[in-house]
Amino acid sequence: MEVVWFKKDLRLLDHAALTAAARLGPVLGLWIYEDEVIGAKDFDARHLGFANECLAELEADLMGYGVRLLRRRGDAVKVFEELWQQTHFSHLHSHQETGHAISYRRDLEVIEWARQRGVHWQEYAQTGVVRRLTHRDGWAERWLQRMSPSPRQAPADLQGVVCDLRSEKICTAMDFGLTLDRSEAMRQRGGSAQGHATLASFLLDRGVGYTKEMSSPVTAWDACSRVSPYLTWGALSIRQCLHAAMDRRRDLLEKKSLGQRIDARWMSSIKSFQSRLRWHCHFMQKLEDEPAIEYRNFSRSCDGLREETEIDAERLEAWKQGRTGYPMIDACMRALTATGWLNFRMRAMVMSFASYHLWLHWREPGLHLARMFLDYEPGIHWSQCQMQSGTTGINTLRVYSPTKQLLDQDPQGIFIRQWLPELAQVPDSFLAEPRNMPGLEQQFCGCVIGRDYPYPIVDHPTAYRHAQEKLHHLRQRDDSKKEARRIQQKHGSRKKSSRQWR
Ligand SMILES: Cc1cc2nc3c(=O)[nH]c(=O)nc-3n(C[C@H](O)[C@H](O)[C@H](O)COP(=O)(O)OP(=O)(O)OC[C@H]3O[C@@H](n4cnc5c(N)ncnc54)[C@H](O)[C@@H]3O)c2cc1C
């Protein structure tokens, strides 16, 4: 009997572990509701809801082949021990996981348990992340090589084990004491079918203006691919996305060669999308190579810059609730809470605001965003949180002005008014800085600053100057320069692959 341990790879197709197991014998699928993972500070009810939807579809897909998917709850080693006592299985298959400290420690415990029980645990790569990477040279070429083979079909030889093993009921947020919020109604739905439909609608229709429209929250919701939660939970694989994009590109070129008119924007949109799929793995590689970045600064010369223990709780809460007095920040934070998603630029802006304007250590704001992002992927997330906080030591410091972002990305206040109903009647000219509205205007539009909408909790120019001074001074130090060299060597991207996308 081959046990396949499903983790964040909840799909039937392009599943290396399932394919390999099916070649060896009858398969039993296993999913574990791990209390420690679900109870962690970065986990939210929305993640469980999405995972359960993926699981329901996977269970039905596997059932089509007569393969059972057992659900069990508890500590992974205890679950494996119980299953072993019941079946004496000898082979365990799963994908490699580049997760957080909890899953990393859990995997080490499972290795030790498997060794003691004589169980052969085989792990398979599912992304472009390379285990035990010695250096970054040639990484992009390696990524391309790994992604080149076509996605795997469902294993032809897949068959199940006849058994009457106990399976846990579907565990919901309530079983873990997690609170459901508004996002239940507005978040993306889980499952591979939904993932493929999302990808197809992006590549065939929504994505045409991707390159231009990805930055504004007014257009990004439709123009971005929105495949991120499916990638995080493995309902789609990176390879499936990449190959779908390559197929689409070929179709377009064929149409063009036949003299049909195609929208010229498609080519750059598809190219940008493909690059981002590589970034996905590039960022995850950083956590794989240096797991400590989940907790501590990339650049150790930034230690002490902001103290984790000295978080200003009032500022943090105002930021979380979308009550900072900066409409662009507040609209983003409220939209995120309600939907589980934000586009890249807005994520970068809210994180940079927490770090530079509110001068909060990145860890607590990062944990809040992790809970809110349906697509929370530790490798991307913690690298990005640190990048937007100036602690990676190598990236350009970028302090976003929320006022400028509003004027650039939502000059008519479409997104702002959607998420901040108290500003619905505020004239366009005052939307970026409502506190500048004359008193009478405030009365007329039903938004009195300080009563209906807060005064800004910090002054942008002052906060900006303070952040710039601190960071620029720090970057001049010898220890910072030394750290920057080390980080660039270990994590920095190298020259682009010479092979181009086909
Ligand atoms: C502070 C911060 C935290 C973030 N946390 C996460 C996270 O937890 N999980 C996550 O998937 N992305 C994260 N991102 C990256 C990015 O914002 C999201 O991947 C993107 O917004 C997801 O929407 P999409 O699928 O429509 O992306 P698209 O723009 O359509 O891109 C397609 C895919 O490429 C990958 N990708 C896109 N941008 C990036 C990027 N900058 N870095 C790495 N991969 C990228 C993602 O897998 C994404 O699904 C974060 C960015 C910031 C600034």
Side-chain angles (χ1 to χ4, degrees), residues 36-227:
E36 200 183 351
V37 171
I38 295 173
K41 282 184 173 177
D42 57 4
F43 201 92
D44 186 75
R46 63 190 67 195
H47 300 134
L48 187 61
F50 191 88
N52 272 334
E53 286 153 12
C54 295
L55 277 168
E57 189 182 311
L58 176 64
E59 195 167 5
D61 286 347
L62 287 171
M63 257 310 161
Y65 291 83
V67 175
R68 280 192 70 192
L69 179 65
L70 288 191
R71 298 164 193 260
R72 297 243 164 132
R73 176 175 173 177
D75 166 70
V77 166
K78 286 197 182 122
V79 168
F80 281 123
E81 177 61 17
E82 188 193 9
L83 188 62
W84 189 83
Q85 293 292 346
Q86 292 164 336
T87 65
H88 282 82
F89 70 95
S90 56
H91 285 81
L92 177 64
H93 305 261
S94 73
H95 276 127
Q96 292 171 352
E97 186 176 350
T98 303
H100 48 27
I102 296 173
S103 64
Y104 180 67
R105 200 174 54 242
R106 182 265 331 267
D107 280 355
L108 294 180
E109 288 165 12
V110 173
I111 290 175
E112 180 53 23
W113 171 83
R115 196 189 58 76
Q116 283 176 16
R117 284 295 180 208
V119 169
H120 179 70
W121 180 19
Q122 183 70 45
E123 289 186 280
Y124 308 82
Q126 74 160 336
T127 65
V129 173
V130 180
R131 282 256 163 112
R132 288 173 280 280
L133 185 72
T134 45
H135 58 81
R136 273 290 188 132
D137 299 345
W139 185 90
E141 280 81 3
R142 236 165 133 167
W143 183 86
L144 201 54
Q145 263 173 17
R146 205 182 261 188
M147 293 300 144
S148 288
S150 297
R152 294 172 192 83
Q153 296 302 311
D157 34 11
L158 186 58
Q159 51 169 308
V161 182
V162 182
C163 63
D164 59 354
L165 291 164
R166 168 189 75 78
S167 189
E168 189 86 41
K169 68 175 178 64
I170 296 173
C171 296
T172 62
M174 277 199 339
D175 296 312
F176 295 97
L178 297 169
T179 329
L180 286 174
D181 56 26
R182 264 173 79 193
S183 78
E184 260 327 276
M186 300 186 75
R187 67 166 169 79
Q188 289 174 266
R189 299 289 125 191
S192 287
Q194 193 57 48
H196 283 286
T198 306
L199 177 63
S201 69
F202 170 71
L203 289 173
L204 295 172
D205 176 27
R206 293 185 293 113
V208 64
Y210 177 62
T211 339
K212 282 242 164 68
E213 295 169 359
M214 66 167 79
S215 295
S216 163
V218 179
T219 45
W221 250 264
D222 261 350
C224 287
S225 73
R226 311 297 307 277
V227 294

